[in-house]
Amino acid sequence: MTLLDIGLDSSFDAAMTFVQSTLQNINAGCEAPIVEIDFVRSRDPDTVLSAFTSSCDVLHVMAHGDHSVTPSFTSTDGEFTVSFEQLGEVAADRGKGISTGAIIADGCKTGTGAWQKAVRDCLQGEVTYVGTSSIIGWHESGVFSSAFYGALFRNRGRGVKPADQAQDAATRAIDAYALLTDKNCPFKVTTLKPSQRARTLLS
């Protein structure tokens, strides 16, 4: 798992600590870790962009979602931004895009068509994409994340692709969210494939 905090304030720190604790509990009592966690919190562009393009089963990005100009993850103070337009340019230069089984875009309104289109321009291959349909807070993020990771590792079948495991886990988490809160889950799951641009530049 790659956990990437771009929010960069105490609230995001607490939320990401919760996610790490959930994953560490899954490893508790095991001789060998079931899940390996790479955690990145940085304002250095190269470090953040490297985290986006590192190979992993799940890339969980926690930040403010902004699409006023172009779909971007931003910090609370507005001093640090990573746009998918920027990420796509770097990926093209390096010949390496986002390579993961699943992306959890844990920010506000990251499940819109504009976001999905922007993500597709950066993909190395097909991914399970989890975004949100509305403005969310820490409660929504925490409930979904705990349900998602609990489901993801409950039955890891051999030969099942990480993207398929994430798809199943996200669907279960969405159902669990509705059951636990009596509200519709703001997190939505879909499958995204690389755009023609990404296939041309990153093949």
Side-chain angles (χ1 to χ4, degrees), residues 84-93 117-123 193-203:
F84 280 97
E85 185 176 276
Q86 173 191 12
L87 183 60
E89 292 174 355
V90 172
D93 289 342
K117 181 180 183 299
V119 172
R120 291 182 64 231
D121 284 341
C122 304
L123 294 181
K193 297 181 179 181
S195 65
Q196 180 61 51
R197 178 178 183 275
R199 290 196 297 271
T200 300
L201 295 175
L202 303 176
S203 59

Side-chain angles (χ1 to χ4, degrees), residues 2-141:
T2 296
L3 307 179
L4 180 55
D5 176 11
I6 301 178
L8 303 174
D9 72 6
S10 59
S11 295
F12 279 101
D13 182 34
M16 195 57 92
T17 297
F18 174 80
V19 173
Q20 290 181 82
S21 297
T22 300
L23 292 171
Q24 288 165 353
N25 284 338
I26 292 169
N27 285 333
C30 300
E31 292 183 5
I34 296 173
V35 54
E36 295 183 359
I37 307 166
D38 290 326
F39 175 54
V40 178
R41 174 185 289 121
S42 176
R43 288 182 184 272
D44 178 66
D46 285 338
T47 300
V48 172
L49 293 172
S50 293
F52 267 106
T53 56
S54 64
S55 296
C56 59
D57 288 345
V58 177
L59 171 63
H60 189 151
V61 186
M62 196 174 284
H64 293 287
D66 181 21
H67 57 274
S68 55
V69 178
T70 185
S72 305
F73 288 113
T74 64
S75 61
T76 296
D77 60 12
E79 295 298 317
F80 187 72
T81 298
V82 176
S83 70
F84 280 97
E85 185 176 276
Q86 173 191 12
L87 183 60
E89 292 174 355
V90 172
D93 289 342
R94 298 179 180 179
K96 182 181 179 183
I98 298 175
S99 179
T100 180
I103 301 170
I104 300 179
D106 200 346
C108 296
K109 297 185 177 181
T110 56
T112 64
W115 272 81
Q116 292 180 21
K117 181 180 183 299
V119 172
R120 291 182 64 231
D121 284 341
C122 304
L123 294 181
Q124 191 82 34
E126 181 176 301
V127 302
T128 292
Y129 181 76
V130 180
T132 62
S133 58
S134 61
I135 295 174
I136 63 168
W138 309 119
H139 178 260
E140 291 86 357
S141 175

